[in-house]
Amino acid sequence: MGSTVSVERDGHVLLIGLNRPTKRNAFDRQMLTELSLAYGLLERDDDLRCGVLFAHGDHFTGGLDLSDVGGDIASNSMSIPEGGRDPWRLDGSWTKPLIAAAQGWVMTLGIELLLAADVRIAATGARFAQYEVRRGIFPFGGATVRFPRESGWGNAMRWMLTGAEFDAGEALRIGVVQEVAEDASSAIGRAVAIAHEIADKSAPLGVRATLEAAHAALQESDSIAENLRSKVAGLFGTLDAAEGVQSFIERRDAVFIGR
């Protein structure tokens, strides 16, 4: 499909690969667009019954490439291309299951991509961090809703409010992932196996009905999360956010002043 997100059909399963490994799969505008289009294909193609989200290279994702997308976030001008779906999967209900496999760095957007999937697998050495607060902003891609829902209030706040790093064992304990595999290849293999178990052995209409019923129960809270992008745009106008972006570029800890 594109140069930053690979798309491959494997029977009734769509394999979606984050493919910007030289940048630790950090998301720029192009990558967000291509992931959106891949999700759109998964949803509209009746021959596809399940998707697998994985990453090429050593890392799932280092998060957003703020030097590229920061301006769009600040102006709340990020858009979904024609034929695409929201890359954070916050735009209504979804009819096809998504299984995700993660390795290496799983930072900010990476956790939100996992929380947006239906089943998540991590490699043993995966490292997680929801560190937006260390960049002067906050998680605006669904984590403020999905993280507490999946992990419980205290577990989610422990990591969202500190921005500290946690490992695959902790991710499993708090429900961010459902399995931990030996390495990246094993994690992807398990994700593909689960996807085929769904796509090849479960009735498509039954799967769709199950997802629709579950999404209906969650729709109100997910719609709240969808509106957070306008809120984070205000934070991007603060001095602390400017310092956060600069510290990201310079690869250092930020020094915040509360303004």
Side-chain angles (χ1 to χ4, degrees), residues 40-116:
L41 173 63
L42 174 63
E43 275 298 295
R44 70 174 176 270
D45 191 324
D46 290 338
D47 193 49
L48 294 171
R49 299 179 183 175
C50 193
V52 172
L53 179 67
F54 70 101
H56 299 278
D58 295 331
H59 302 285
F60 187 62
T61 178
L64 288 172
D65 185 344
L66 290 177
S67 60
D68 183 80
V69 304
D72 288 348
I73 297 172
S75 61
N76 193 27
S77 59
M78 300 181 73
S79 59
I80 298 172
E82 184 177 354
R85 293 291 303 265
D86 179 17
W88 284 271
R89 288 169 59 91
L90 289 166
D91 57 339
S93 62
W94 293 67
T95 64
K96 311 286 181 67
L98 181 68
I99 317 302
Q103 78 276 6
W105 286 9
V106 189
M107 306 299 178
T108 58
L109 170 60
I111 293 176
E112 293 181 315
L113 292 177
L114 291 186
L115 292 173

Side-chain angles (χ1 to χ4, degrees), residues 18 25 52-61 100-106 120-127 168 179-193:
L18 307 182
N25 286 323
V52 172
L53 179 67
F54 70 101
H56 299 278
D58 295 331
H59 302 285
F60 187 62
T61 178
Q103 78 276 6
W105 286 9
V106 189
R120 290 90 64 173
I121 316 295
T124 299
R127 298 155 52 199
E179 291 185 27
V180 174
E182 182 177 356
D183 52 27
S185 178
S186 299
I188 295 170
R190 281 295 298 141
V192 172

